[in-house]
Amino acid sequence: SKCMQKDSQVDKPAINNFFVTNQWKFLLIGEKGTTMFFHKDGTAASSWQVQLVGKKRWTLCPNTESRYLDPHLDTYNPDYSRFPQFAKAQCGQVTVSPGELLYYPAYW
């Protein structure tokens, strides 16, 4: 299943409601196979993520790379014919394993 998506599309009303009602004290728990669509942090919310079980892959890009990114991009298998600008992006990828913590700054 995909978080904050409806009918394979980004569920903008759900996201907007999340931003409006959230005080940024949250706990997200996902079952095996849960993913989050590729998105830009527009809330200036630096955060951390702790992996309890399983593994989670992340692609993190500084705000300066936004011009090269697209929300439809699969960063783990990029289609450079559709998204040629992504080849210029200076992003990092990491896999977080059980017991590890990942911190990411605002706008990443």
Side-chain angles (χ1 to χ4, degrees), residues 38-50:
F38 189 57
H39 64 281
K40 178 180 177 178
D41 171 30
T43 62
S46 58
S47 189
W48 53 272
Q49 184 261 337
V50 175

Side-chain angles (χ1 to χ4, degrees), residues 4-81:
M4 295 193 186
Q5 287 197 359
K6 185 176 183 179
D7 301 324
S8 298
Q9 299 294 318
V10 173
D11 188 349
K12 289 184 181 183
I15 293 169
N16 291 338
N17 183 60
F18 181 74
F19 289 150
V20 169
T21 61
N22 197 333
Q23 296 299 311
W24 303 112
K25 296 175 184 172
F26 57 91
L27 173 65
L28 300 175
I29 300 174
E31 62 187 335
K32 185 176 182 177
T34 299
T35 63
M36 175 64 81
F37 60 92
F38 189 57
H39 64 281
K40 178 180 177 178
D41 171 30
T43 62
S46 58
S47 189
W48 53 272
Q49 184 261 337
V50 175
Q51 194 69 28
L52 300 177
V53 297
K55 295 182 179 186
K56 180 169 176 56
R57 297 186 312 168
W58 290 79
T59 298
L60 299 169
C61 306
N63 195 43
T64 56
E65 304 306 294
S66 295
R67 65 189 178 275
Y68 304 126
L69 309 177
D70 185 285
H72 300 99
L73 174 65
D74 175 355
T75 60
Y76 297 102
N77 188 23
D79 180 348
Y80 292 109
S81 64

